[in-house]
Amino acid sequence: MMKSRTLRIALTVAAAAVLAGCSSSGATTAPVVTTAPVVTTAPSAAGKVFTLKDLTVGFIQTGSESGWRAANTASFKETAATEGVTLKFYDAQNKLENQVSAFHNFVQDPSVNVIVLAALDVTGYDTVLAEAKAANKLVVLEDRRIDADSSMYYTYIGSDFINEGHEGAKAMCDLLTAAKVTKKNVVEISGAVGASAGIDRAKGFREKMGDCGITVTATQTGNWGVPESKAVMEAFLKQSKDIQGVFAHNDEEAIGAIQAIKEAGLVPGKDIQVVGFDATADGFKSLISGEMGADIECNPLLAPQVFDAAVKGLNGDTTVPKWVPSQEGQFFAAQGADALNALLKTRKY
Ligand code: AHR
């Protein structure tokens, strides 16, 4: 697996170099670049003080797999428009090789002075990170961490997914205790394989689940989507009805599980407790109906912090920490429909 994937990535980088001259237009294809030689853009060029309006950001998004992702993309497009940032948006359609080739092309693009990556996977970027470093291109990670030496990027702005997992386990413990169940068998619908959000939520949940004797009896990816997660939950229920809880890695996966639970003649929030992540509007609706018991927030509105950090980076500021954790909370069906509806009205996602 590793060898062929690394080979595929290396081939992708090479292919991207070849393709760069002849790609068609449209956001989802590799950015068109002139064949001008790479310009080394040393941060804080002598005497120049960069501002938001000086940013030309090559933004490599994962794809459009969830409501959370749509809110994250909107945060970048809207903030760029408001602040006068030039945004070259690339939708990788959830393919790692697309991200790597776009990254390579943004390194080659003399107009781009900052590359922002929402990483699909925790590995696979070493080659292009080294290229960016050699070309003195500022790199900022947003949303997801990667397994790379932090000297290869300026800063990472994103969630503490392990802590989210802790909060998820605590919430599941409270829900199962309130439901007065003796057994605590929980099935897990995990995020896309390789994504730090899923890896770390799973780790965090397992670090705390022992506090009330939870056992994860089955786990499978739902790839962040409703239909696939519904099918996964249907299969879990066919295997065993001895399930007291669902640990779903995002709202879409929780909603898919809820649909399957209902079609199996069971009552979500009563027969089976459901915990989700993101706290998007759809998640809130499931809390308000009582079908989801808890929703652990993941904040998608990261663009302002990312652009501010990019300006600091171009101005040679060395005080920005390597990780800036996002501010986020937790929401519970127990807060009641009125309070949750009032909150929902104030939220941007
Ligand atoms: O990285 C954040 C995760 O990515 C969200 O929880 C999920 O909805 C999205 O796909």
Side-chain angles (χ1 to χ4, degrees), residues 55 71 119-120 141 146 157 187 196 211 268 275 282 285 287 315:
L55 296 186
L120 273 166
L141 306 178
I146 58 176
I157 297 175
V187 294
S196 61
D211 294 359
V275 171
D282 287 344
K285 289 170 189 144
L287 288 174
N315 286 324

Side-chain angles (χ1 to χ4, degrees), residues 188-191 197-198 201-202 224 247-251 253 277-278:
E188 176 184 33
I189 305 180
S190 58
R201 282 172 187 157
W224 308 119
F247 163 34
H249 284 208
N250 77 344
D251 288 338
E253 295 186 338
F277 291 73
D278 287 350

Side-chain angles (χ1 to χ4, degrees), residues 65-66 68-69 143-144 161 197 201 224 249-250 278 298:
E65 73 278 0
S66 66
W68 188 96
R69 191 61 55 189
D143 169 28
R144 304 239 183 106
F161 295 118
R201 282 172 187 157
W224 308 119
H249 284 208
N250 77 344
D278 287 350
C298 180

Side-chain angles (χ1 to χ4, degrees), residues 7-19:
L7 179 61
R8 200 174 57 235
I9 290 168
L11 285 173
T12 308
V13 172
V18 175
L19 275 177

Side-chain angles (χ1 to χ4, degrees), residues 201-234:
R201 282 172 187 157
K203 183 171 185 292
F205 189 92
R206 284 166 176 72
E207 286 174 356
K208 289 288 180 198
M209 68 183 193
D211 294 359
C212 72
I214 287 172
T215 306
V216 173
T217 53
T219 179
Q220 190 175 335
T221 182
N223 277 315
W224 308 119
V226 175
E228 200 170 331
S229 301
K230 182 180 178 209
V232 168
M233 190 65 199
E234 285 165 351

